[in-house]
Amino acid sequence: MNFSARRGLVVVLTAGLAASAVGGLAAHADTAARTHAATRADARGEVVSFARVRSMSAKQTRAWLASDGFDAEAVRYGVDAYRLVYRTVDVRKRPTTASGLLVLPRNGDRSLRTVSYTHGTMSYKKDAPSVTKDVWGPGAAVTYGGAGFAAVAPDYLGLGKGPGAHPWMHVPSETTASLDMLRAARNFAPRTGRTLERQVLVTGFSQGASAALGLARALQEGADPWFRVRAVAPISGAYDFGGTQLPATVGGKIPAKYAVVYASYLLTSWNRTHGLYRTPDEVFRRPYADRVEKYFDGTTPGAEMFQGLPGTLPELLTPRGQEMLRAPGGRLAAALRQDAAAVMGWAPRVPVRLYKISDDEQAVTGNTDRLAAAFRARGVRAPVIDVGDRVYEESRHLGSNLTGTALTARWFRTLR
């Protein structure tokens, strides 16, 4: 989840804002790293190329974050930010590449504690944290970097510099992309004279909240020989997609236009991954059947997609499409069960805090309550923390990222 009504789409689904002069943005041409065979299965996390994309003093960092509403109280240092392109695997475990953002503090420490931050929904490649020129996309990672952490923010598959379309709300590939970005950051850090400590503090917002839980679970279960999860703090996620979020989407509990975009993204993305329909006109009405898959292939700016879709679900979906979402069956039901199991079907053995905002108009707050109950049933105490009233671009959901990031940064600084 992650919609900006004024910008015209999910998160920052605009073409991106002009670089802030106060940010001292300095983009550099990608610098090729030494690589081996592109198809090697054991090359996951190998850095293919890198570029320094931001360099800011502490004062510049605070001003840059504040220009888009981020709380810069935790920022004590300047930052250097790098885009990494690295080797990973796609949804079918075939070799591919992805990109992500690594933000390092200018604090002189040689060994750095690591935060993994996974971002919210976006569909346009150029809005991803490692490539966008705005503040919103990389703002959380820069906050953690300015607080003294090595902040690692994957773009996910198919966004940023990654090939192909993004498999939206696909926790398994979000997990592998996040894990391999951690490995890439560890491989790259010595080039700057730094090393990453083994324990990882895991957080994420909206779509990234589910991704954060997937990564934390993988680390707890020993998916990497080096990294270990230290704590996890997801913010405003759609954790119970099938049981809570989807009924809210089709039942009128989120704004109609948001429902249209999320339903479109779900059906087109999950069709690529799970095979839900043969041709778009089975589930989408014309003229939208002719254009909707193009809207979500990574090449269409958010504002264009937002304007091109209708205002209500009945205008968008055929009777079959409407019934598919009202009463999921077959492959869609199986995919929803898989999603729920990946996010909620485990018991964290590390400190957990669940951040939410009341009256969330996108990722309805019942998702967080459902996750807390699932953890409680497994004997896990996971405090639910309401971030209070915060609105960003007319959205409480987006506002929760700003306050939730500030609260998470403060909590992570207390953990050793």
Side-chain angles (χ1 to χ4, degrees):
M1 305 297 100
N2 224 40
F3 232 128
S4 169
R6 191 171 66 180
R7 290 187 179 184
L9 197 49
V10 189
V11 182
V12 286
L13 297 193
T14 55
L17 305 178
S20 169
V22 75
L25 180 63
H28 300 269
D30 279 358
T31 305
R34 289 183 299 173
T35 61
H36 300 292
T39 57
R40 270 193 18 229
D42 62 351
R44 289 177 52 184
E46 185 178 86
V47 177
V48 176
S49 67
F50 65 90
R52 189 168 65 176
V53 294
R54 282 181 178 84
S55 293
M56 297 184 285
S57 68
K59 181 178 179 180
Q60 289 173 327
T61 301
R62 285 189 286 267
W64 185 80
L65 290 168
S67 72
D68 207 24
F70 281 91
D71 183 346
E73 182 273 334
V75 173
R76 295 179 290 174
Y77 311 105
V79 298
D80 293 302
Y82 301 86
R83 177 174 59 247
L84 306 183
V85 176
Y86 60 96
R87 301 198 187 284
T88 186
V89 291
D90 67 10
V91 295
R92 293 175 177 82
K93 304 301 182 184
R94 299 171 301 195
T96 189
T97 58
S99 57
L101 187 70
L102 172 64
V103 185
L104 300 178
R106 294 179 171 180
N107 61 359
D109 291 348
R110 295 302 178 189
S111 179
L112 296 172
R113 301 174 69 202
T114 303
V115 170
S116 173
Y117 172 82
T118 39
H119 65 74
T121 298
M122 55 185 63
S123 66
Y124 186 41
K125 288 178 180 288
K126 293 182 180 180
D127 288 328
S130 79
V131 296
T132 184
K133 292 180 172 59
D134 73 3
V135 178
W136 176 263
V142 171
T143 300
Y144 295 117
F149 300 99
V152 180
D155 292 334
Y156 307 141
L157 296 180
L159 295 173
K161 296 292 185 178
H166 170 54
W168 184 62
M169 293 298 290
H170 185 255
V171 175
S173 67
E174 292 164 357
T175 299
T176 53
S178 299
L179 179 59
D180 291 342
M181 178 61 191
L182 278 174
R183 293 166 170 161
R186 185 182 178 220
N187 289 335
F188 175 78
R191 296 171 180 268
T192 69
R194 327 294 279 276
T195 60
L196 302 190
E197 293 183 8
R198 133 169 261 193
Q199 293 189 334
V200 183
L201 301 153
V202 179
T203 184
F205 166 64
S206 196
Q207 176 188 353
S210 294
L213 291 166
L215 175 63
R217 180 177 185 174
L219 293 175
Q220 179 172 287
E221 294 175 355
D224 186 83
W226 173 255
F227 289 113
R228 298 290 182 269
V229 61
R230 174 65 180 86
V232 59
I235 304 167
S236 300
Y239 313 109
D240 184 26
F241 203 98
T244 300
Q245 187 64 34
L246 190 56
T249 301
V250 300
K253 293 184 178 180
I254 69 173
K257 191 72 173 192
Y258 294 0
V260 165
V261 175
Y262 288 134
S264 301
Y265 209 173
L266 177 71
L267 289 172
T268 56
S269 178
W270 283 30
N271 185 59
R272 296 186 191 105
T273 306
H274 303 292
L276 303 182
Y277 56 81
R278 293 182 180 178
T279 60
D281 57 8
E282 294 178 23
V283 294
F284 298 107
R285 295 184 185 274
R286 294 190 183 277
Y288 310 108
D290 298 326
R291 64 180 76 146
V292 68
E293 292 189 334
K294 172 68 173 172
Y295 285 157
F296 296 97
D297 68 358
T299 65
T300 303
E304 180 180 331
M305 176 271 281
F306 187 79
Q307 293 167 6
L309 289 172
T312 67
L313 285 175
E315 293 175 276
L316 172 75
L317 299 174
T318 65
R320 179 190 172 188
Q322 295 178 58
E323 182 63 19
M324 182 183 293
L325 297 185
R326 277 197 302 264
R331 292 180 179 180
L332 179 57
L336 290 168
R337 288 193 297 270
Q338 178 190 59
D339 179 77
V343 175
M344 299 191 296
W346 66 299
R349 297 192 297 270
V350 296
V352 181
R353 289 187 179 182
L354 309 179
Y355 293 97
K356 71 172 185 178
I357 193 167
S358 60
D359 300 320
D360 191 319
E361 82 285 356
Q362 295 185 54
V364 294
T365 49
N367 283 289
T368 302
D369 299 334
R370 179 72 181 85
L371 176 63
F375 282 163
R376 191 162 52 247
R378 290 175 171 79
V380 176
R381 180 180 177 272
V384 175
I385 300 169
D386 195 310
V387 301
D389 290 330
R390 184 66 186 273
V391 176
Y392 175 89
E393 296 198 350
E394 303 177 1
S395 169
R396 293 176 62 78
H397 180 63
L398 297 182
S400 71
N401 187 39
L402 299 175
T403 304
T405 295
L407 293 173
T408 301
R410 292 169 196 163
W411 182 45
F412 281 175
R413 285 175 58 184
T414 71
L415 301 176
R416 290 305 304 180

